[in-house]
Amino acid sequence: MSLKKGVLTIFLSFTMLNCLAQYEIVSLWDGVVPNSQKSDEEEIITNTDSKRISLVQNPTLEVYLPTKRNATGQAVIVCPGGGYHYLTYDFEGTDIAKWFNSKGIAAFVLKYRLPNSKSIKISYEAPLQDAQRAIRIVRSQAEKWNVNPNKIGIIGFSAGGHLASTLGTQFNTPNHFKETAIDTISARPDFIALIYPVVTMKLDYTHKGSRTNLLGENPSEDLVKQFSNELQVTKNTPPTFIVHAEDDHSVPVENSLQLYKALKDNGVITEMHLYPYGGHGFGLALGQGRLEHWTDRLYEWLQSL
């Protein structure tokens, strides 16, 4: 190898290391994952037009940080959708995190457990347990990641929106496992953003796939009520931002309308943007006309907080 090529190789290696150093993947749980059991399942990753992850075995946070010079101190946990069947990990996860970074906001993509996994004991408890742990980890490491511990929120898309709204309304849900010091940290998000979210588990407007995957084929009325988040709103629910398309045939806009009313009835700071067209699963909505600007509205709202 010539000296010139050797220097170039070393330079590229250091460049790659510096790029990789901007990101970090953190396991949510040390040792045995709570509410889990042994199974023969393995995590599955598929790549077509987007990266999908199913049968999550090791829930993680993927850390995306802006430069310190640009950092606002705000941070957000990103919950991809996928009907509680898989995670649309890049389109509604890492792409979103990179957008937040462009605004100086730290972002943490949550790879949460999915309730259709045989590795989970009580299926419907696992996603919320992972979301609670995620926000506690970010708060506990706020100084390390240059984050204000009082400016940590959560954003969710579709079924990820259901998880985000569950955390926002049920952040105090007690753990049924042996707690450690980190579990005493508040899991209440400081704000919530919900993009075409599943909200209700009632049959009138629910997304039936999400409901079945989370609660099973014939859930009890108590479970349906517990996970119908429009019924769980209180005055302590964090400020909430909502985006939905009125022509969404997968998750009816009534999910957002009912939640908006419940939030207003409880005096929660709320902003909602409805678009006549856009359907379901538009992500950043790049190249989709006015819909593309929902992120601008979100950024303005976050600044107002």
Side-chain angles (χ1 to χ4, degrees):
M1 180 185 293
S2 68
L3 177 62
K4 184 176 181 180
K5 285 184 178 180
V7 170
L8 179 60
T9 300
I10 293 171
F11 172 77
L12 290 173
S13 297
F14 275 111
T15 301
M16 290 176 67
L17 285 171
N18 286 334
C19 290
L20 289 172
Q22 297 176 25
Y23 307 104
E24 181 181 1
I25 295 179
V26 178
S27 291
L28 293 188
W29 307 98
D30 296 324
V32 178
V33 178
N35 187 26
S36 66
Q37 58 192 2
K38 289 185 178 181
S39 79
D40 57 358
E41 286 183 342
E42 295 183 1
E43 199 163 289
I44 298 174
I45 299 175
T46 58
N47 288 284
T48 52
D49 58 335
S50 64
K51 179 179 179 180
R52 292 183 175 184
I53 303 177
S54 54
L55 300 179
V56 171
Q57 303 297 304
N58 178 32
T60 60
L61 276 178
E62 186 165 353
V63 182
Y64 286 79
L65 300 178
T67 61
K68 287 188 176 181
R69 183 175 179 177
N70 289 330
T72 66
Q74 286 182 317
V76 62
I77 311 293
V78 183
C79 301
Y84 283 123
H85 179 65
Y86 56 81
L87 302 179
T88 308
Y89 192 76
D90 50 6
F91 186 71
E92 294 173 342
T94 56
D95 283 359
I96 307 302
K98 293 169 187 175
W99 176 85
F100 276 113
N101 280 182
S102 75
K103 302 299 183 183
I105 301 169
F108 302 81
V109 183
L110 178 58
K111 186 180 75 170
Y112 56 93
R113 286 173 290 165
L114 298 161
N116 59 348
S117 170
K118 293 186 296 183
S119 299
I120 300 173
K121 291 180 180 178
I122 303 176
S123 59
Y124 54 82
E125 289 186 353
L128 179 57
Q129 289 169 338
D130 290 348
Q132 288 175 312
R133 175 53 75 102
I135 202 163
R136 286 168 171 150
I137 287 175
V138 176
R139 280 214 169 96
S140 72
Q141 299 295 316
E143 184 175 357
K144 171 186 173 182
W145 289 322
N146 197 32
V147 165
N148 185 327
N150 299 314
K151 293 185 177 181
I152 302 171
I154 189 166
I155 186 172
F157 296 76
S158 193
H162 183 267
L163 177 54
S165 62
T166 303
L167 181 67
T169 56
Q170 303 182 54
F171 50 86
N172 279 331
T173 298
N175 291 312
H176 297 139
F177 55 83
K178 185 178 181 180
E179 293 187 334
T180 60
I182 196 172
D183 297 307
T184 65
I185 297 173
S186 171
R188 181 185 183 273
D190 295 299
F191 59 85
I192 309 170
L194 306 173
I195 317 303
Y196 41 86
V198 179
V199 174
T200 190
M201 289 288 116
K202 296 186 296 182
L203 282 172
D204 49 359
Y205 295 120
T206 192
H207 177 252
K208 292 182 180 178
S210 295
R211 171 183 152 125
T212 299
N213 287 328
L214 182 64
L215 303 182
E217 289 288 349
N218 297 295
S220 68
E221 285 301 314
D222 286 344
L223 266 185
V224 169
K225 181 178 179 181
Q226 179 182 344
F227 287 96
S228 292
N229 291 324
E230 77 280 10
L231 303 178
Q232 303 301 326
V233 174
T234 71
K235 64 181 181 180
N236 293 321
T237 300
T240 303
F241 178 91
I242 306 171
V243 173
H244 219 125
E246 295 178 26
D247 65 344
D248 189 331
H249 300 302
S250 296
V251 178
V253 70
E254 283 79 7
N255 281 263
S256 289
L257 293 172
Q258 290 182 0
L259 181 62
Y260 179 81
K261 183 179 186 306
L263 291 163
K264 298 301 289 184
D265 288 348
N266 281 273
V268 178
I269 296 172
T270 311
E271 181 170 316
M272 180 167 66
H273 293 268
L274 300 182
Y275 292 85
Y277 306 107
H280 189 73
F282 48 75
L284 292 170
L286 300 180
Q288 296 189 46
R290 290 174 53 216
L291 185 61
E292 182 177 346
H293 299 290
W294 76 260
T295 51
D296 297 327
R297 306 291 80 78
L298 174 59
Y299 180 55
E300 292 167 353
W301 183 77
L302 289 172
Q303 287 181 305
S304 76
L305 297 178

